[in-house]
Amino acid sequence: MIARVRRARRQDRRTFLGTLGVSTLALRGVAAAAGGQGVSAAAGKSWDVIVVGAGVFGAWTAWQLRAAGRSVLLVDQYGPANARASSGGESRVIRMSYGADETYTRFSWRSLAKWKAFFGDVGRPELFQRTGVLWMTKGEDANAAASLRALEASQIPHERLDERELRKRYPQIAVIDGGSAIFEPESGALLARRAVQAVVADAIRRGVEYQVAAVEPLAGEGRLEALRTAGGEPLRAGAFVLACGPWLAKVAPRALAGRIFPTRQPVFFFGVPKGDTRFSAPALPTWLDFGQGFYGMPDIEGRGLKVANDQHGPEFDPDTGERVPGADALAEARAFLEERFPGMRGAPLAEARVCQYENTSNGDFVIDRHPGYENVWLCGGGSGHGFKHGPAVGEYTAERVLKGDATDPRFTLASKQTIQKRSVH
Ligand SMILES: Cc1cc2nc3c(=O)[nH]c(=O)nc-3n(C[C@H](O)[C@H](O)[C@H](O)COP(=O)(O)OP(=O)(O)OC[C@H]3O[C@@H](n4cnc5c(N)ncnc54)[C@H](O)[C@@H]3O)c2cc1C
């Protein structure tokens, strides 16, 4: 999220500084929606590729591998976009502004087109809400200037709004003195959990097999013949992709211990005043407040105005962590809400969730071959900004697996430092 752009600022200082399990019944529902295929009896079979993890990265990787004609088994321990997965939230921002980081601007633009085409194909256009994205900064910000250059270079529609224009267009926002913004009219919000489940259902419809199983950590080296499930079942394939999000270091500890650092990230939805449309699209777009580190969304589907802090929280275990937001985090979110959106003063908390970022030391994804296995690929490290890139990451990962060629230096394991200190920032 905002961390990507903040990273550009912080890089100079070289600091680090990033359910409900879906029941068998629900999975059968996904499979049934996809035409009755899906839950597979894996014993004795072998696939071209097994993808572990049905979050946004694994779902799109499996989808792409199948589109390339490969036999694919997709495995997940709790279910596609389950409530503990990083992809399991209601909504995720898709924006193009990334400071000077043109790679991600291009990835995001490509992904937006693919998300929209996909949702159109499966008859679910509502899973992308074109709310526009408003990136608020203070005055002449270097990252905003770099974002503008990148948007221009990639010919992505955008507007620069000065303080006066910002106040005129969005009277419900208490614009800071000297504030300005970039507005991206094509960007918006992805309805995350349902979007991933739609990708998995479509992948199954296209022939991907799906199984609920927990895969045991990798312990050997060389060429991997089979993964083992917690129940002792071997899952055989020619190649394997581990797209395990915040669990990646648990599944591939030798490669990733200390290199994926999950942090606790609460998200709040505040109830809007009755009969008031100021906090819904199109009056209010998806927004990011760069100075304060908060971001959020207008009231989508009546859930309330979303507010979240992009600062990394404490270390968090995705399996065992309790998902009750702390009183301090709620008080901070409410204080920000009431300052930036005065019409929301006194708004009740309508809903809250706790998710986790799966940070790498530099905020860049890991898409690389496992150093100990010639036929195992790692795909993760979304670092709080990965969701939007799902289609491009799936395409990129599938290509690496199929061609076996080198990955972009920024996505390599070697570019990720071990995070020694369990810091909060
Ligand atoms: C609060 C919050 C807000 C965010 N906001 C944004 C945003 O606005 N925009 C944006 O682009 N990104 C955002 N992100 C980041 C984005 O959601 C993540 O980067 C992305 O969802 C990561 O997807 P993933 O597929 O790598 O991991 P996950 O979604 O976590 O999927 C991993 C899957 O692997 C499975 N798995 C793990 N281990 C095993 C095993 N041993 N055996 C079998 N299965 C296993 C899990 O069950 C899980 O389903 C946000 C994240 C959070 C937490």
Side-chain angles (χ1 to χ4, degrees), residues 102-118:
E102 283 186 42
T103 303
Y104 288 113
T105 296
R106 284 195 300 271
F107 253 47
S108 192
W109 189 234
R110 182 164 178 72
S111 292
L112 178 60
K114 286 187 160 289
W115 279 119
K116 288 194 327 194
F118 171 77

Side-chain angles (χ1 to χ4, degrees), residues 1 52-58 75-79 81-82 85-88 92-93 213-216 243-247 251 265 267 295 297 355-358 379-380 382-389:
M1 276 287 316
V52 184
V56 73
F57 285 179
V75 183
D76 201 288
Q77 58 191 355
Y78 298 124
N82 61 78
S86 297
S87 306
R92 295 288 183 258
V93 181
V215 163
E216 292 286 280
C244 299
W247 290 266
V251 181
Q265 307 293 150
V267 175
Y295 66 94
M297 280 170 201
C355 188
Q356 66 280 310
Y357 287 172
E358 57 293 315
C379 173
S383 302
H385 70 109
F387 194 92
K388 65 180 81 57
H389 301 289

Side-chain angles (χ1 to χ4, degrees), residues 2-146:
I2 305 172
R4 288 280 330 149
V5 175
R6 281 222 215 82
R7 183 174 67 81
R9 273 184 178 165
R10 286 194 296 266
Q11 243 174 0
D12 294 344
R13 304 203 306 270
R14 312 292 278 171
T15 56
F16 168 57
L17 0 186
T19 134
L20 304 166
V22 174
S23 65
T24 307
L25 206 61
L27 288 167
R28 290 212 178 98
V30 170
Q37 306 170 49
V39 182
S40 118
K45 272 191 83 166
S46 180
W47 288 265
D48 290 332
V49 188
I50 291 177
V51 178
V52 184
V56 73
F57 285 179
W60 272 108
T61 301
W63 191 97
Q64 291 285 356
L65 286 164
R66 183 66 199 142
R70 299 307 190 272
S71 62
V72 182
L73 174 67
L74 177 63
V75 183
D76 201 288
Q77 58 191 355
Y78 298 124
N82 61 78
R84 287 184 240 194
S86 297
S87 306
E90 274 304 303
S91 51
R92 295 288 183 258
V93 181
I94 180 160
R95 56 163 165 111
M96 310 298 136
S97 291
Y98 259 92
D101 226 332
E102 283 186 42
T103 303
Y104 288 113
T105 296
R106 284 195 300 271
F107 253 47
S108 192
W109 189 234
R110 182 164 178 72
S111 292
L112 178 60
K114 286 187 160 289
W115 279 119
K116 288 194 327 194
F118 171 77
F119 294 146
D121 286 349
V122 298
R124 306 287 305 277
E126 78 284 1
L127 296 179
F128 169 61
Q129 303 264 324
R130 187 171 158 259
T131 61
V133 169
L134 186 70
W135 183 286
M136 296 181 275
T137 59
K138 185 168 165 53
E140 291 308 310
D141 181 271
N143 279 302

